[in-house]
Short mmCIF file of all heavy atoms in Angstrom, two decimals:
data_model
loop_
_atom_site.label_atom_id
_atom_site.label_comp_id
_atom_site.label_asym_id
_atom_site.label_seq_id
_atom_site.Cartn_x
_atom_site.Cartn_y
_atom_site.Cartn_z
N GLN U 171 -73.82 -53.55 -62.10
CA GLN U 171 -74.61 -54.77 -62.26
C GLN U 171 -74.95 -55.00 -63.73
O GLN U 171 -74.84 -56.12 -64.23
CB GLN U 171 -75.90 -54.67 -61.45
CG GLN U 171 -75.71 -54.77 -59.94
CD GLN U 171 -77.03 -54.82 -59.21
OE1 GLN U 171 -77.90 -55.63 -59.52
NE2 GLN U 171 -77.20 -53.93 -58.24
N ALA U 172 -75.38 -53.94 -64.41
CA ALA U 172 -75.75 -54.06 -65.82
C ALA U 172 -74.56 -54.47 -66.67
O ALA U 172 -74.67 -55.33 -67.55
CB ALA U 172 -76.33 -52.74 -66.32
N ILE U 173 -73.40 -53.87 -66.41
CA ILE U 173 -72.20 -54.19 -67.19
C ILE U 173 -71.77 -55.63 -66.97
O ILE U 173 -71.37 -56.33 -67.91
CB ILE U 173 -71.07 -53.21 -66.81
CG1 ILE U 173 -71.42 -51.79 -67.28
CG2 ILE U 173 -69.74 -53.65 -67.43
CD1 ILE U 173 -70.53 -50.71 -66.71
N LEU U 174 -71.86 -56.10 -65.73
CA LEU U 174 -71.51 -57.49 -65.43
C LEU U 174 -72.48 -58.47 -66.08
O LEU U 174 -72.15 -59.65 -66.27
CB LEU U 174 -71.47 -57.72 -63.92
CG LEU U 174 -70.32 -57.01 -63.18
CD1 LEU U 174 -70.43 -57.22 -61.68
CD2 LEU U 174 -68.97 -57.49 -63.70
N GLN U 175 -73.67 -57.99 -66.44
CA GLN U 175 -74.65 -58.80 -67.18
C GLN U 175 -74.44 -58.68 -68.69
O GLN U 175 -75.29 -59.09 -69.47
CB GLN U 175 -76.07 -58.38 -66.81
CG GLN U 175 -76.46 -58.66 -65.37
CD GLN U 175 -77.79 -58.06 -64.98
OE1 GLN U 175 -78.56 -57.59 -65.83
NE2 GLN U 175 -78.08 -58.06 -63.69
N ASN U 176 -73.31 -58.09 -69.08
CA ASN U 176 -72.91 -57.92 -70.48
C ASN U 176 -73.77 -56.91 -71.24
O ASN U 176 -73.79 -56.91 -72.47
CB ASN U 176 -72.91 -59.27 -71.21
CG ASN U 176 -71.84 -60.21 -70.68
OD1 ASN U 176 -70.73 -59.79 -70.39
ND2 ASN U 176 -72.20 -61.47 -70.53
N LYS U 177 -74.46 -56.05 -70.52
CA LYS U 177 -75.18 -54.97 -71.19
C LYS U 177 -74.17 -53.91 -71.63
O LYS U 177 -73.12 -53.74 -71.01
CB LYS U 177 -76.22 -54.34 -70.25
CG LYS U 177 -77.35 -55.27 -69.82
CD LYS U 177 -78.27 -54.56 -68.83
CE LYS U 177 -79.34 -55.48 -68.27
NZ LYS U 177 -80.46 -55.66 -69.21
N LEU U 178 -74.51 -53.18 -72.69
CA LEU U 178 -73.69 -52.06 -73.14
C LEU U 178 -74.15 -50.82 -72.40
O LEU U 178 -75.30 -50.41 -72.52
CB LEU U 178 -73.83 -51.86 -74.65
CG LEU U 178 -73.49 -53.05 -75.54
CD1 LEU U 178 -73.79 -52.72 -77.00
CD2 LEU U 178 -72.04 -53.47 -75.37
N VAL U 179 -73.26 -50.22 -71.61
CA VAL U 179 -73.58 -48.99 -70.88
C VAL U 179 -72.65 -47.91 -71.40
O VAL U 179 -71.42 -48.01 -71.25
CB VAL U 179 -73.42 -49.17 -69.36
CG1 VAL U 179 -73.77 -47.87 -68.64
CG2 VAL U 179 -74.31 -50.31 -68.86
N ILE U 180 -73.20 -46.88 -72.00
CA ILE U 180 -72.40 -45.81 -72.58
C ILE U 180 -72.67 -44.52 -71.82
O ILE U 180 -73.82 -44.15 -71.57
CB ILE U 180 -72.66 -45.63 -74.09
CG1 ILE U 180 -71.80 -44.52 -74.66
CG2 ILE U 180 -74.13 -45.40 -74.39
CD1 ILE U 180 -71.80 -44.48 -76.19
N LEU U 181 -71.61 -43.84 -71.41
CA LEU U 181 -71.73 -42.63 -70.59
C LEU U 181 -71.49 -41.39 -71.43
O LEU U 181 -70.48 -41.27 -72.13
CB LEU U 181 -70.71 -42.68 -69.45
CG LEU U 181 -70.65 -41.44 -68.55
CD1 LEU U 181 -71.95 -41.26 -67.77
CD2 LEU U 181 -69.46 -41.52 -67.60
N VAL U 182 -72.43 -40.44 -71.36
CA VAL U 182 -72.28 -39.12 -71.99
C VAL U 182 -72.67 -38.06 -70.96
O VAL U 182 -73.14 -38.38 -69.87
CB VAL U 182 -73.15 -38.99 -73.26
CG1 VAL U 182 -72.74 -40.00 -74.31
CG2 VAL U 182 -74.63 -39.15 -72.92
N SER U 183 -72.49 -36.81 -71.34
CA SER U 183 -72.88 -35.71 -70.46
C SER U 183 -74.22 -35.13 -70.92
O SER U 183 -74.50 -35.10 -72.11
CB SER U 183 -71.81 -34.61 -70.48
OG SER U 183 -72.27 -33.45 -69.80
N ARG U 184 -75.02 -34.68 -69.97
CA ARG U 184 -76.29 -34.06 -70.33
C ARG U 184 -76.14 -32.58 -70.68
O ARG U 184 -77.09 -31.93 -71.06
CB ARG U 184 -77.31 -34.22 -69.20
CG ARG U 184 -77.02 -33.44 -67.92
CD ARG U 184 -78.06 -33.75 -66.86
NE ARG U 184 -77.87 -33.00 -65.62
CZ ARG U 184 -78.38 -31.80 -65.38
NH1 ARG U 184 -79.10 -31.19 -66.31
NH2 ARG U 184 -78.18 -31.21 -64.22
N CYS U 185 -74.92 -32.06 -70.57
CA CYS U 185 -74.67 -30.66 -70.93
C CYS U 185 -74.78 -30.46 -72.44
O CYS U 185 -74.51 -31.38 -73.22
CB CYS U 185 -73.28 -30.23 -70.47
SG CYS U 185 -73.03 -30.34 -68.68
N ILE U 186 -75.15 -29.26 -72.86
CA ILE U 186 -75.25 -28.98 -74.29
C ILE U 186 -73.89 -29.12 -74.97
O ILE U 186 -73.76 -29.73 -76.03
CB ILE U 186 -75.83 -27.57 -74.52
CG1 ILE U 186 -77.29 -27.52 -74.07
CG2 ILE U 186 -75.73 -27.18 -76.00
CD1 ILE U 186 -77.94 -26.16 -74.21
N VAL U 187 -72.86 -28.54 -74.35
CA VAL U 187 -71.50 -28.73 -74.86
C VAL U 187 -70.86 -29.77 -73.95
O VAL U 187 -70.12 -29.44 -73.03
CB VAL U 187 -70.71 -27.41 -74.86
CG1 VAL U 187 -69.37 -27.59 -75.55
CG2 VAL U 187 -71.51 -26.31 -75.55
N GLY U 188 -71.18 -31.02 -74.20
CA GLY U 188 -70.85 -32.08 -73.26
C GLY U 188 -69.55 -32.81 -73.55
O GLY U 188 -69.06 -32.85 -74.67
N GLU U 189 -68.99 -33.38 -72.50
CA GLU U 189 -67.82 -34.25 -72.60
C GLU U 189 -67.71 -34.99 -71.28
O GLU U 189 -68.00 -34.43 -70.22
CB GLU U 189 -66.54 -33.46 -72.86
CG GLU U 189 -65.30 -34.34 -72.98
CD GLU U 189 -64.05 -33.55 -73.34
OE1 GLU U 189 -64.11 -32.31 -73.33
OE2 GLU U 189 -63.02 -34.18 -73.63
N VAL U 190 -67.33 -36.27 -71.33
CA VAL U 190 -67.17 -37.02 -70.09
C VAL U 190 -65.69 -37.26 -69.83
O VAL U 190 -64.91 -37.57 -70.74
CB VAL U 190 -67.94 -38.36 -70.12
CG1 VAL U 190 -69.43 -38.10 -70.14
CG2 VAL U 190 -67.55 -39.21 -71.31
#
Side-chain angles (χ1 to χ4, degrees):
Q171 289 186 52
I173 293 167
L174 291 176
Q175 294 172 11
N176 294 319
K177 296 177 186 280
L178 303 176
V179 180
I180 181 168
L181 176 66
V182 298
S183 171
R184 68 183 182 89
C185 299
I186 292 178
V187 187
E189 181 175 9
V190 292

